[in-house]
Amino acid sequence: VVPDWVCETHSPATRAYDIGVKLRTYHRFQVPHLWYIDLDAQQITVHAYQNGHYTARDYALNKTINAPPFQGTPINLSLSP
């Protein structure tokens, strides 16, 4: 079963593996939506699988976003409550 959405948090120890091996695996299985949260860079990268490849868009963690697969549902990415 392929998930519709995967969300992961990078750590310095796993970043290369996450954006290398794991991203290729998600691509091979055509996972439609992939989010990577990078606390060091203070951003989230949203990948959408279309036409055989991923397109990516970066968002700052202090914003409210509307991103696939949750279009129409504002998501607050603020780091504070």
Side-chain angles (χ1 to χ4, degrees), residues 34-54:
L34 173 61
W35 291 16
Y36 281 124
I37 300 168
D38 189 328
L39 296 175
D40 291 337
Q42 296 291 296
Q43 74 179 22
I44 182 170
T45 302
V46 174
H47 297 266
Y49 187 86
Q50 296 175 337
N51 302 319
H53 68 279
Y54 281 111

Side-chain angles (χ1 to χ4, degrees), residues 45-81:
T45 302
V46 174
H47 297 266
Y49 187 86
Q50 296 175 337
N51 302 319
H53 68 279
Y54 281 111
T55 57
R57 181 170 177 193
D58 294 328
Y59 297 91
L61 285 182
N62 61 350
K63 304 286 183 185
T64 297
I65 67 169
N66 283 295
F70 306 107
Q71 304 93 316
T73 304
I75 299 172
N76 183 344
L77 298 178
S78 176
L79 294 176
S80 60

